Amino acid sequence: MAPNTAANALQDGKRRQAQALLGNGEVWLIAARESGVRPEPALTLVAGVDVTWDSLFLLTRTEAVAIVGRFDADAVPPGWTVHGYDADLRALLRAEVTRLGAQRVLLNISEDDPLCDGLTSGLERRVRGWLEPGPDLSGDDLAALEWDSAAPLLGQLRSVKTPGEHAAIREAVDLAEAHLREMAAAARPGWTERDVAAFLQGLCRRDGAEPSWGWNACPNVHIGPDSPPSHAPPGDHALRPGDLLHIDYGVRLSHGYCSDIQRTYRLPDGNPVPEEVQVAFRACWQAIQAGADALRPGTPGHAVDAAARAALVAAGYPEYQHALGHGLGRATHDGGTLLGPRWPRYGQTVEGPVRENEVYTLELGVLVPGHGFIGLEEDVVVRAGPPEWLSERQDDLKSLG
C-alpha cells in the first residue's frame, strides 16, 4: 500500500471510530485556520488535509461534513460531504447544523490535554458568533444549542488505537530497534554524544524516516557519569571503556505514526559489569514490570504509575520526576490518559481509566554515581490480560561494539 493510501486508510478508520463515540444530537465541530501555519491535531487525525481558509469539519454518528474554501475542496479525502465557499461560510454552517439536528456541539477545548485543545480562543469566538441569532439570520433553531468540550471523546479517540494503528506503531518500533542495533555494532571508543545522534539521524535519512520528536531534539544521548539525563542537545561527552550510554530514540514513518524507546548500553572494558550497575538495571526492569502488571483496562492512570514508583523506591532508589508512561501514536505524547502521579502539573489526565487497545510507553531510570544513567522505555498495547510488548524488551545491559 502506498504511503498516502496507507495514511488515508488510517484516518478513515479514525473518522469512523469517532462517529461511533458520538451520541444522538451531538455534533463534533473541528475548526481550523491555515493549518500549515497553525495545525489542528484533531484534523490531522481524522481527515489528514491541509486547509488555507477558515474551515469547519462536522461529525455526527452518521455523517461527515466539511465546509472549506473553494480551492481546498478537492483536497478533502473521500468519506466527507464537501461544501466549498467563497465569501462567507456562515449560511452553510447554520444550514448544516440545523439539518444535522444538532443539540450539543463539541469543541476542541481542554485545560489539561494539549492535543485536545486545538481550538484557539479567537476562532472559538468566531464559531460561536456564526451560530448566534442575528438581525439578518434566522436563529430560532440554534438558540438552544448546548456547547461542551470534545476532550473526553477526542482523548479516547486518540488513545484507543485501531488494528491499523497498532501495525503502524509496530513498524516504527521495529525500525527504531533496527537502527539501535546498527548503532551498537558500530560504536567505538571516542564516539561523542553528537556522533551517536548523527549516526542515528543518518539512518533515518537513509530509510526515509524522521526522528520522532524532531531533528533538533531526537535522539537524547547521555554518555558516562558527567552527562545527567535531560532534553538538552547531545554534547561532547565521549565513550570510554566502562562507560554507560543511554539513548532515548524513536522514528516517525511516512504514515505519521512513531515509536519512543530507551536503551542503555555499556562499552566493555575487560572487567565484569560493576555490581551497583547490575543492581540498578534490575531495579529499573522490575519497576517497569510492576507498572506492566498494573496496566489493565479500567485501572486509573495514577494507579499504574504508583505501582512502578513504589517498586523503584522499595529497591532503594529515588522517585523518578516524571510520569511512568504516556500515550503513543501520531505523536510521542499522544494525549488521553497519562500514567503519572497526582501532581498539579498533570491535572485530570492521570484520573482517566486505562482502556483496552491503547498504546503506552513505560519508562523510568536511575542515575548511578560514577557510572551514568540507566534508562529503560518500552512500548506496549493494553490488552484484557497482560499488555502486549511492541518493543523487544531490554532484559539485560547491552554491550557496544
Side-chain angles (χ1 to χ4, degrees):
M1 187 179 291
N4 287 343
T5 304
N8 289 342
L10 289 164
Q11 289 151 355
D12 187 64
K14 296 308 283 185
R15 174 181 59 79
R16 295 174 186 275
Q17 183 183 356
Q19 290 181 279
L21 294 172
L22 286 161
N24 292 328
E26 289 185 331
V27 173
W28 180 20
L29 193 159
I30 304 170
R33 283 175 165 161
E34 187 167 355
S35 55
V37 176
R38 209 291 180 184
E40 162 50 274
L43 181 59
T44 304
L45 186 68
V46 300
V49 60
D50 286 325
V51 295
T52 307
W53 300 355
D54 286 353
S55 300
L56 305 172
F57 293 76
L58 292 78
L59 284 174
T60 71
R61 289 188 66 86
T62 58
E63 296 197 50
V65 177
I67 301 173
V68 299
R70 174 182 299 276
F71 302 110
D72 290 333
D74 289 342
V76 178
W80 296 83
T81 299
V82 182
H83 299 288
Y85 75 92
D86 291 314
D88 191 352
L89 58 70
R90 286 182 299 170
L92 280 170
L93 172 62
R94 296 171 73 87
E96 284 301 309
V97 169
T98 300
R99 183 185 69 80
L100 294 171
Q103 301 170 20
R104 186 166 174 255
V105 177
L106 306 179
L107 300 176
N108 296 342
I109 302 168
S110 172
E111 294 184 6
D112 298 315
D113 191 336
L115 289 175
C116 297
D117 195 34
L119 182 63
T120 64
S121 60
L123 189 50
E124 179 188 0
R125 288 195 292 271
R126 295 201 75 181
V127 169
R128 288 178 180 267
W130 288 330
L131 291 173
E132 286 178 354
D136 59 336
L137 296 166
S138 62
D140 293 343
D141 293 336
L142 303 177
L145 278 179
E146 297 179 14
W147 300 84
D148 207 344
S149 168
L153 176 148
L154 181 50
Q156 183 173 349
L157 177 67
R158 289 199 73 97
S159 59
V160 177
K161 296 330 195 250
T162 64
E165 289 181 292
H166 291 158
I169 297 169
R170 182 184 292 279
E171 184 183 1
V173 170
D174 288 346
L175 185 60
E177 291 185 322
H179 285 179
L180 289 169
R181 287 192 296 270
E182 197 168 339
M183 181 282 306
R188 295 293 182 269
W191 273 30
T192 66
E193 294 164 342
R194 296 180 198 275
D195 293 331
V196 174
F199 187 90
L200 290 169
Q201 290 191 350
L203 298 182
C204 279
R205 294 185 177 92
R206 182 194 70 188
D207 294 336
E210 298 178 359
S212 284
W213 50 97
W215 293 100
N216 293 328
C218 177
N220 298 137
V221 184
H222 309 101
I223 293 176
D226 299 322
S227 181
S230 74
H231 291 159
D236 294 321
H237 298 97
L239 272 172
R240 301 167 300 180
D243 274 349
L244 294 179
L245 165 63
H246 165 255
I247 299 177
D248 190 352
Y249 179 61
V251 301
R252 184 186 308 279
L253 303 183
S254 59
H255 46 50
Y257 287 79
C258 57
S259 52
D260 184 9
I261 56 180
Q262 292 181 47
R263 295 291 180 260
T264 304
Y265 306 83
R266 182 174 181 269
L267 186 63
D269 61 355
N271 298 313
V273 177
E275 180 68 15
E276 60 268 35
V277 173
Q278 292 278 35
V279 170
F281 181 92
R282 187 52 46 186
C284 292
W285 191 97
Q286 290 172 341
I288 285 181
Q289 184 61 51
D293 290 341
L295 190 67
R296 299 292 187 274
T299 304
H302 64 81
V304 181
D305 174 86
R309 196 172 295 269
L312 192 65
V313 170
Y317 295 94
E319 293 187 27
Y320 44 93
Q321 297 302 303
H322 53 79
L324 170 68
H326 52 77
L328 178 69
R330 293 192 63 87
T332 50
H333 297 87
D334 206 36
T337 297
L338 187 73
L339 310 180
R342 282 171 151 167
W343 294 347
R345 62 169 290 199
Y346 292 135
Q348 293 298 304
T349 58
V350 302
E351 304 296 335
V354 170
R355 297 182 176 90
E356 190 170 358
N357 293 319
E358 290 180 325
V359 177
Y360 286 102
T361 65
L362 299 175
E363 57 181 295
L364 51 81
V366 165
L367 185 62
V368 185
H371 296 281
F373 185 71
I374 294 175
L376 302 178
E377 181 175 13
E378 309 292 352
D379 299 340
V380 300
V381 181
V382 179
R383 300 302 190 192
E388 175 188 354
W389 302 83
L390 290 176
S391 46
E392 183 179 345
R393 188 171 183 189
Q394 181 173 355
D395 289 327
D396 49 36
L397 200 61
K398 295 180 178 292
S399 292
L400 295 170

